[in-house]
Amino acid sequence: MKRKLFVPMFVTTVLLASCGADPTENQTTAPVVEKEKSTTEQTTDHWTATKTGTAVSHIHGAGFWQDGRPVIATHTGLMEFREDGWYELSSNRHDYMGFELVADGFYASGHPAQDSPYKNPLGVVRGTEKGETLEIRSLEGEADFHYMSAGFESESLYVYLEQATKELAPGFYRSLDGGVSFEPMKMDGIEGRGIAGITADASEPKRVFVYGPDGILVSDDGGDTFEPFNDQGNIVTMAAAKGQLAYIAKTGTSFDLVVSDLTDETETSIDLPSMSADNVPIELVMEAERLLLATSDNSVYVFEDEEWTQLLKAGKVN
């Protein structure tokens, strides 16, 4: 089932104006000069500034919009960070789960807002225009995917279904058609290993990673067979960009962030921002030379130009 919800943009257009003189007998005719057409577009901003002191909870996804602004998916919808602080989308204020950015939008699951026409749970949602336009791809009213990863370029989806639907038993599934249909992953090679999460490769449709206390495993056949990716253990979260991976491993009471170049097989360590011992990294996103990190106390950090900047501290907007 597909459903679209569209919030129109308002456009004001300045029309072409021109003038000229009609020729009369025995009178020199001045040339008609046509003014250049000018058009002015005014776009309504559907984002409102978040009030100081607002509490932000349940961050279930993060990323960078196509314009570069950081965005997080929260219990009450989407929030983006601008130069002057946090802003909230005034529409489609759903409790998004499994929120994942792709080249021109995002995929998500979760629960609809109280005034929403959608059934609970949302199933698989495809969002565009920064979440102002939504399309239900499948499983509306049946599935809530807490664990979902989307290839940034390929838009292949890899999910873990916790509760059975009418046709699907609990387990791991892939979708190579943007969430319209799903097929089970065989998951050979993961026997005896713990799995904390799943990450789709950014550009290769059938490459997918799983990670957890026993490290990272990779599959090149859509999740049917896996083999170890490296010997690093206890991975708490990871991210994929074209030709790159980033992952955070826990060693004792500390965390280590590593960026892996898949082309030349080199790895670079990056110091993490200072965090309390009981504050665990939960969301990691990589885009070119930038990283976005969210932690279990609902703090948000961005890494750019070789340094970390904290955008949200312990879930309180400053």
Side-chain angles (χ1 to χ4, degrees), residues 4 61 116 227 266 285 295:
K4 292 185 178 180
S116 169
E227 60 183 23
T266 59
V285 180
T295 62

Side-chain angles (χ1 to χ4, degrees), residues 147-205:
Y147 305 96
M148 179 165 66
S149 185
F152 185 81
E153 294 179 359
S154 70
E155 297 197 26
S156 293
L157 301 186
Y158 291 90
V159 304
Y160 179 72
L161 180 64
E162 297 177 85
Q163 296 183 345
T165 69
K166 295 176 182 177
E167 298 181 356
L168 304 178
F172 289 92
Y173 291 86
R174 62 176 172 256
S175 173
L176 303 180
D177 57 8
V180 175
S181 63
F182 287 87
E183 55 186 5
M185 299 158 60
K186 294 180 181 179
M187 303 295 289
D188 292 340
I190 67 164
E191 296 81 3
R193 297 176 181 267
I195 296 179
I198 189 166
T199 300
D201 186 85
S203 55
E204 296 294 332

Side-chain angles (χ1 to χ4, degrees), residues 191-266:
E191 296 81 3
R193 297 176 181 267
I195 296 179
I198 189 166
T199 300
D201 186 85
S203 55
E204 296 294 332
K206 288 195 172 183
R207 179 176 295 165
V208 59
F209 303 85
V210 293
Y211 62 89
D214 300 302
I216 302 172
L217 291 89
V218 60
S219 171
D220 287 315
D221 57 9
D224 287 339
T225 59
F226 283 87
E227 60 183 23
F229 173 74
N230 61 17
D231 57 4
Q232 176 68 59
N234 208 8
I235 307 299
V236 297
T237 187
M238 66 178 293
K242 188 171 183 178
Q244 290 183 306
L245 288 180
Y247 59 87
I248 297 177
K250 185 177 182 181
T251 305
T253 59
S254 63
F255 296 94
D256 303 304
L257 170 59
V258 176
V259 175
S260 178
D261 191 309
L262 301 180
T263 303
D264 58 18
E265 298 183 350
T266 59

Side-chain angles (χ1 to χ4, degrees), residues 85-111:
W86 287 98
Y87 282 71
E88 304 167 64
L89 182 62
S90 58
S91 61
N92 292 326
R93 297 179 62 82
H94 309 303
D95 182 10
Y96 288 113
M97 302 286 181
F99 177 86
E100 287 270 301
L101 270 292
V102 292
D104 67 342
F106 65 85
Y107 285 88
S109 189
H111 306 281

